[in-house]
Amino acid sequence: MRPTRSGTDGPLPPTLPMGAADLAYRLAMRGGPLPVPLVFVFDGPAPALDTVLARVAERAPRVPALNYRPSRDGKVFRRVPRIAAERHVREIRLTGDTDCAATGRLLLSRPMNVADGPLWEVWLVHGAGGGHALCYRTDHRFQDGMGAVYAARALLDDDPAGGPPAQSLGRPAPRGVAGVLGDVLKGFGPPVAKPGFDGPVGPGLRVCHVTTPLARLRAAARAHGGTVNDVYLTALSHAVRTWHLKATGETHPPLPVAVPMSVRAPGEEYAPGNRIALAHVVLPCDEAVPQRAFQRVRQSTGRLRDGRRRDSFRALLAATPRAIGARLGVRLVSGAVVAGPVSRVDVGAPLVHQGVPSRWSAVYSGTAAGIRCLVTLTSQQDTACLTLVHDETLASADELPDLWLAALLELERT
């Protein structure tokens, strides 16, 4: 393994500039942490903590991102002279945790105890039925979800090369630039009605997961002439419709969500910082017929692809003064404008640790800026995991993952 690049090979520079997205998370959290856990779930007995610690101690110094932390003034990432691996590796027993929900709550709520070291940890969790999980936890002010995937593999995988490829970037398009500017204007517009998700933010978060074969989403995408992402978003739209109708007897209006997209290019796999673009998509929760909802979603995502929205956002953010870009970023993912982030992350092949492959994986984060709910679809080779993180005051929101599975089945049947 030789993950030595942070943008350039050779010795690590003492500082690296923070970007607008990093500052946006810092602003949204008012300087506090925003946890990003990546959980790999395994069958069978857990490895010894000493062996996990030894691997982390050996590999962490060679992974550029793991050697930095944000400076106190929020201007640069500053290299840490030495990594004390024993401060970054934890072990806990949650033998009643049958679905990793307790693991999720712990990773979103437990303070990160790394003293003045880099902002990441590895957790070995002994779960129910003799299974276990290996978890990498970072801070969104420091690293995005795909950055976490690369770092976790570099730390823990027998063969770190099994991860997904970095994002090939292209030139922006006029339609994409216009779309980004339109989203920015919405961010400064009046609050959007989201009756299922509006309200005060509570003191805690809950986490729930469901898994299903990725082949189901691929087959539905082929049958309806779209993509896996179209199937994911359509099923989510229909799940929200069913959930809100059951609770209130009313149809939920179209629901705006923020869709993060990676712009982590080749050579930046192990670099610190957030490399993401954002776009607003409106889920057709008012549509009762899954096929028509799918067509509306496909039109929305098609406009993002045709307009090269990912590249357009990246180019505009690079051309915008950092402080202004950070404030725009906070406005784009605010509870006044969107229900929350709805993302998709591909971790590639299963993580193999000491010869044992992970069964499924999930990456997600905490919430900020008035957001009460976020959803992530994590793909690991042949398995898809839908993860819902929601404010504990949305008491019935834990029904949404099962309703998503039911909506997927309904879409398959049409």
Side-chain angles (χ1 to χ4, degrees):
M1 184 197 74
R2 188 177 174 268
T4 57
R5 298 193 67 168
S6 61
T8 57
D9 288 324
L12 299 179
T15 62
L16 291 168
M18 293 178 68
D22 310 317
L23 295 181
Y25 284 112
R26 181 182 173 90
L27 279 176
M29 296 303 296
R30 299 180 181 178
L34 182 60
V36 178
L38 170 54
V39 179
F40 293 94
V41 179
F42 298 80
D43 290 327
L49 182 66
D50 287 348
T51 65
V52 177
L53 177 58
R55 180 170 287 189
V56 169
E58 175 199 359
R59 293 186 176 183
R62 291 183 279 156
V63 184
L66 304 184
N67 289 266
Y68 289 87
R69 65 174 291 141
S71 62
R72 293 183 183 277
D73 60 10
K75 294 182 179 179
V76 297
F77 295 114
R78 196 172 301 281
R79 192 183 66 211
V80 176
R82 174 180 172 273
I83 298 175
E86 65 278 2
R87 291 181 178 175
H88 295 266
V89 180
R90 307 272 182 265
E91 183 177 30
I92 195 167
R93 296 183 184 275
L94 297 173
T95 52
D97 188 18
T98 58
D99 56 4
C100 281
T103 297
R105 289 195 299 271
L106 177 141
L107 294 173
L108 290 178
S109 62
R110 185 73 65 90
M112 192 175 288
N113 185 22
V114 295
D116 56 353
L119 299 180
W120 57 267
E121 292 176 329
V122 170
W123 285 76
L124 173 60
V125 180
H126 299 260
H132 66 283
L134 282 171
C135 312
Y136 172 81
R137 182 170 70 154
T138 186
D139 188 324
H140 229 325
R141 299 172 300 166
F142 171 67
Q143 205 168 35
D144 56 59
M146 283 308 304
V149 170
Y150 291 118
R153 285 193 172 279
L155 272 182
L156 300 169
D157 204 330
D158 290 356
D159 179 13
Q167 183 65 45
S168 297
L169 303 179
R171 299 179 65 181
R175 278 185 295 175
V177 173
V180 175
L181 295 176
D183 286 349
V184 169
L185 290 176
K186 292 175 189 174
F188 287 90
V192 179
K194 306 172 295 298
F197 303 93
D198 288 335
V201 176
L205 295 172
R206 295 180 181 175
V207 182
C208 42
H209 311 277
V210 292
T211 61
T212 193
L214 186 58
R216 293 184 63 194
L217 283 81
R218 289 172 174 156
R222 287 194 300 269
H224 291 280
T227 67
V228 166
N229 205 46
D230 296 335
V231 173
Y232 160 44
L233 295 176
T234 302
L236 180 60
S237 174
H238 204 65
V240 171
R241 172 187 171 82
T242 303
W243 171 68
H244 189 70
L245 193 62
K246 176 183 174 182
T248 67
E250 299 178 353
T251 299
H252 200 288
L255 184 69
V257 296
V259 177
M261 298 172 285
S262 175
V263 292
R264 192 169 286 269
E268 298 179 338
E269 291 92 336
Y270 305 102
N274 287 269
R275 284 160 168 76
I276 55 175
L278 288 167
H280 287 173
V281 169
V282 178
L283 301 182
C285 302
D286 57 328
E287 179 56 72
V289 179
Q291 279 182 307
R292 290 205 293 260
F294 185 91
Q295 296 306 319
R296 287 168 63 179
V297 168
R298 189 179 67 172
Q299 289 171 4
S300 296
T301 59
R303 285 192 291 270
L304 298 185
R305 289 189 298 272
D306 294 343
R308 299 200 288 272
R309 183 72 68 87
R310 186 194 311 258
D311 301 302
S312 301
F313 186 98
R314 176 182 58 86
L316 279 177
L317 197 63
T320 303
R322 193 176 60 161
I324 295 175
R327 295 185 186 281
L328 293 178
V330 174
R331 298 293 301 189
L332 285 171
V333 194
S334 161
V337 179
V338 295
V342 174
S343 60
R344 184 177 171 218
V345 177
D346 180 7
V347 304
L351 184 139
V352 179
H353 186 83
Q354 298 185 26
V356 180
S358 57
R359 185 160 50 89
W360 56 271
S361 55
V363 59
Y364 45 97
S365 78
T367 59
I371 296 294
R372 302 176 73 204
C373 182
L374 68 85
V375 185
T376 303
L377 185 72
T378 307
S379 304
Q380 177 190 281
Q381 194 160 306
D382 298 327
T383 303
C385 175
L386 183 95
T387 300
L388 174 76
V389 178
H390 68 90
D391 192 285
E392 63 185 8
T393 59
L394 292 173
S396 65
D398 56 5
E399 299 174 8
L400 283 168
D402 286 335
L403 291 173
W404 180 81
L405 284 178
L408 175 59
L409 180 60
E410 190 170 348
L411 192 60
E412 289 172 319
R413 288 173 171 172
T414 57

